[in-house]
């Protein structure tokens, strides 16, 4: 199956796409929310440590899957090979939803940043209210323009997307490094411990863990971008993925820790940008806040770029594989990009501005749920393929062997239970269950309109192309290595 988007993505391009999808605005906008949810900085630190530990088995599974199936569609390919059409569609739709929801949330977050820079935007020409949230004409126009600009970049192709991701990534990393150096130079352990900051409560850490799944999601974007990489970059896609996970999770934890060590953590709760506020307090320079708000806006653009790319690639894969209508598989005549897939994703962002900020927090939790579905099914696919298609070519094996496999199963159960069981600390609310159900129903409708004329053999050829043409039978069984 051919690639989309023109020129190849380099190793740094892969890392930039992953970091650009992960770092975004969370480090600036969610620090107060994280501290409040965790109930203190110690609980927050524990939650971040658990986040890395729990996600590593899933990342290791991707390390094995990516070089085994370096094809457009990412998780769709892995799950189809293991569980057939329904499995492939389920994980694909979960991935589309996760990236699309993140796109919508970041579009809201970007406008929140502009509201901080220009307060008149949230007060001028109020059209109506959705609950307690006003919808203003300036914000509405700006959100649509921003989404339109990202849409144009996507249509131009993968190499343009990667170039934008590189710029955003460099700006974010440099600014975060400078800010962290200043904060830790003034870190006060007494401030960190104030207001019960050193009192540990696992329930607080577990509650935050559900939010962190959203905040650190995005490293799996590398699995989709790997299809547009060649040579050394393609062989090192797994390393790029692990680099993104550890680097970004570490930065997010350090930013929150730095804030709690320079400002009593309860004071950070409710602030839009506590990290920037701390830096202003330390330096005495009001323009520092403006600088970091602008930096976060650049990060928002990077996230929107990466998530729309990933979402469109997954929908393109579903269409090419006849798991949804094949009308989505039409490519742009000049740039070779899946233009209809890009536009379908953009529809959600067109609707989001009209809801004000009603879904600002619900988006986070629903995105966490879809992310867990995608990770767990991809992990299960790797394990199941070891049993049913043991002779598949595996250039890289999941590190840790059976220990990683067992731990990954336990992590899957914990993550799913923590967000789905009503009595758990990180459970969804009624609105969030309703939103998730509505999006699942939309997926069911799309699946019903798939191209049913495509047989199992032809469908597998569409998915695996020349890589494994003729070697994957319609039902799982052992096959000969090519």
């Amino acid at each position: 199956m051919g690639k989309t988007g023109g020129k190849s993505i380099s190793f740094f391009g892969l890392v930039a796409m992953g970091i650009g999808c992960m770092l975004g605005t969370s480090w600036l906008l969610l620090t107060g929310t994280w501290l409040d949810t965790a109930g203190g900085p110690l609980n927050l630190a524990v939650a971040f440590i658990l986040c890395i530990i729990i996600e590593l088995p899933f990342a290791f599974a991707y390390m094995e899957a990516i070089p085994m199936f370096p094809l457009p569609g990412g998780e769709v390919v892995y799950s189809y090979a293991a569980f057939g059409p329904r499995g492939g569609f389920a994980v694909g739709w979960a991935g589309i939803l996760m990236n699309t929801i993140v796109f919508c949330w970041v579009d809201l977050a970007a406008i929140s940043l502009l509201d901080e820079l220009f307060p008149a935007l949230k007060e001028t020409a109020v059209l109506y209210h959705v609950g307690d949230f006003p919808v203003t004409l300036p914000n509405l126009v700006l959100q649509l323009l921003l989404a339109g600009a990202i849409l144009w970049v996507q249509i131009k192709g993968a190499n343009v997307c990667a170039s934008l991701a590189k710029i955003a990534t460099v700006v974010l990393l440099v600014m975060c490094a400078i800010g962290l150096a200043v904060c830790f130079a003034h870190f006060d352990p007494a401030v960190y411990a104030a207001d019960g900051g050193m009192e540990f409560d696992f329930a607080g850490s577990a509650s935050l863990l559900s939010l962190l799944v959203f905040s650190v999601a995005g490293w799996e974007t590398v699995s989709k971008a790997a299809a547009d990489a060649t040579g050394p970059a393609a062989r090192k896609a797994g390393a790029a993925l692990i680099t993104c996970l550890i680097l970004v999770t570490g930065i997010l934890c350090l930013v929150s820790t730095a804030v709690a060590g320079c400002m009593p953590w309860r004071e950070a709760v409710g602030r839009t940008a506590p990290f920037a506020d701390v830096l202003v307090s330390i330096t005495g320079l009001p323009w520092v806040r403006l600088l970091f708000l602008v930096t976060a806006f650049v990060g928002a653009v990077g996230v929107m770029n990466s998530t729309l790319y990933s979402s469109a690639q997954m929908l393109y894969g579903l269409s090419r594989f006849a798991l949804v209508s094949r009308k989505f598989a039409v490519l742009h005549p000049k740039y070779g990009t899946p233009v209809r897939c890009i536009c379908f994703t953009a529809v959600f962002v067109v609707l989001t501005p009209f809801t004000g900020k009603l879904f600002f927090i619900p988006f986070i939790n629903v995105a966490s749920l879809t992310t867990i579905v995608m990770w767990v099914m991809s992990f299960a696919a790797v394990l199941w393929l070891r049993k049913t298609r043991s002779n598949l070519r595996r250039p890289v094996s999941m590190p840790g062997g059976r220990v990683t496999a067992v731990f990954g199963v336990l992590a899957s159960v914990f993550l799913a239970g923590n967000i789905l069981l009503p009595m758990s600390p990180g459970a969804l609310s009624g609105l969030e269950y309703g939103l998730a159900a509505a999006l699942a129903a939309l997926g069911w409708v799309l699946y019903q309109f798939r191209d049913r004329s495509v047989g199992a053999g032809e469908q597998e050829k569409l998915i695996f192309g020349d890589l494994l043409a003729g070697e994957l039978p319609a039902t799982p069984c052992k096959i000969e290595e090519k």
Side-chain angles (χ1 to χ4, degrees):
M1 187 162 81
K3 299 178 181 181
T4 65
K7 297 179 182 179
S8 173
I9 299 179
S10 65
F11 176 79
F12 181 61
L14 292 176
V15 173
M17 289 291 282
I19 293 178
C21 194
M22 296 174 71
L23 198 50
T25 61
S26 296
W27 59 277
L28 191 67
L29 296 182
L30 290 182
T31 299
T33 301
W34 291 338
L35 287 166
D36 186 37
T37 303
L42 177 60
N43 296 334
L44 179 144
V46 171
F48 270 100
I49 293 171
L50 287 175
C51 187
I52 290 181
I53 293 173
I54 287 176
E55 290 188 26
L56 274 179
F58 304 114
F60 287 161
Y62 275 79
M63 288 183 68
E64 180 170 318
I66 290 172
M68 184 164 53
F69 297 114
L71 300 167
E75 295 90 346
V76 177
V77 179
Y78 321 149
S79 290
Y80 185 101
F83 307 122
R86 292 181 180 178
F89 174 81
V91 76
W93 184 239
I96 291 168
L97 289 180
M98 185 273 284
N99 285 284
T100 302
I101 290 171
V102 172
F103 189 117
C104 295
W105 183 88
V106 173
D107 197 33
L108 290 172
I111 298 306
S112 295
L113 291 168
L114 291 179
D115 287 346
E116 288 294 313
L117 291 170
F118 310 103
L121 293 176
K122 57 184 176 181
E123 301 169 357
T124 304
V126 176
L127 300 176
Y128 54 88
H129 285 74
V130 180
D132 296 328
F133 305 104
V135 176
T136 69
L137 181 61
N139 279 350
L140 195 62
V141 172
L142 286 172
Q143 281 181 270
L144 295 176
L145 287 175
L146 179 58
I150 299 298
L151 177 66
W152 178 81
V153 170
Q154 296 294 318
I155 292 174
K156 293 285 286 185
N159 57 315
V160 178
C161 296
S163 297
L164 179 58
K166 291 176 185 178
I167 295 171
T169 298
V170 170
V171 171
L172 283 171
L173 291 179
V174 170
M175 294 302 296
C176 282
I178 294 172
L180 287 172
V182 172
C183 286
F184 278 105
H186 295 80
F187 187 92
D188 186 347
V191 173
Y192 184 86
D195 294 327
M198 293 301 292
E199 296 176 4
F200 177 64
D201 179 7
F202 180 74
S205 296
S207 296
L208 178 57
L209 189 58
S210 294
L211 292 180
L212 291 186
V213 171
F214 162 83
S215 300
V216 304
W219 46 262
E220 69 286 331
T221 300
V222 174
S223 69
K224 273 74 75 176
D228 285 308
T230 58
R235 293 192 294 271
K236 296 179 180 179
L241 184 147
I242 297 295
T243 299
C244 294
L245 170 60
I246 294 177
L247 180 61
V248 174
T249 306
I251 289 174
L252 295 179
C253 185
L254 288 173
V255 167
S256 303
T257 301
V259 169
C262 297
M263 169 192 295
W265 69 270
R266 294 189 188 277
E267 291 186 18
V269 176
R271 291 175 178 258
T272 301
F275 187 50
D277 293 340
V278 163
L279 289 170
V280 170
S281 176
I282 292 173
T283 63
L285 302 173
W287 57 265
V288 169
R289 191 173 195 274
L290 173 64
L291 181 61
F292 274 81
L293 288 171
V294 172
T295 300
F297 184 81
V298 172
V301 172
V303 170
M304 293 177 70
N305 169 62
S306 295
T307 52
L308 182 55
Y309 172 85
S310 185
S311 181
Q313 286 295 317
M314 295 197 82
L315 183 57
Y316 174 74
L318 291 181
S319 181
R320 285 279 292 165
F321 309 156
L323 293 174
V324 297
S325 172
R326 299 189 71 184
K327 293 180 180 179
F328 282 108
V330 174
L331 298 178
H332 191 283
K334 180 178 180 181
Y335 302 114
T337 49
V339 62
R340 290 185 178 178
C341 298
I342 295 169
C343 291
F344 176 84
T345 304
V347 168
F348 289 88
V349 147
V350 170
L351 297 176
T352 299
F354 295 93
T355 66
K357 294 184 180 179
L358 177 66
F359 294 112
F360 195 73
I361 296 301
F363 272 156
I364 295 176
N365 291 320
V366 175
S368 294
L369 174 61
T370 57
T371 302
I372 290 169
V373 170
M374 186 171 61
W375 290 348
V376 170
M377 287 196 66
S378 297
F379 177 81
V382 168
L383 296 185
W384 188 246
L385 285 171
R386 286 181 172 187
K387 179 180 180 180
T388 59
R389 304 186 193 272
S390 59
N391 289 338
L392 276 172
R393 186 179 65 89
R394 290 173 172 81
V396 177
S397 294
M398 183 167 59
R402 292 186 178 180
V403 174
T404 298
V406 171
F407 184 71
V409 171
L410 295 175
S412 300
V413 172
F414 174 77
L415 285 175
N418 190 43
I419 199 168
L420 289 175
L421 297 179
M423 71 291 294
S424 66
L428 298 176
S429 68
L431 175 62
E432 292 157 359
Y433 275 118
L435 179 60
L439 293 173
L442 175 60
W444 181 83
V445 171
L446 287 176
Y447 186 66
Q448 297 308 307
F449 282 92
R450 67 191 184 278
D451 187 349
R452 298 173 183 268
S453 66
V454 178
E458 183 182 354
Q459 193 169 53
E460 289 183 349
K461 186 176 181 180
L462 288 171
I463 294 173
F464 303 106
D466 296 333
L467 181 67
L468 295 172
E471 295 188 8
L472 288 177
T475 56
C477 64
K478 292 186 177 181
I479 61 174
E480 295 298 323
E481 182 177 359
K482 186 173 181 178

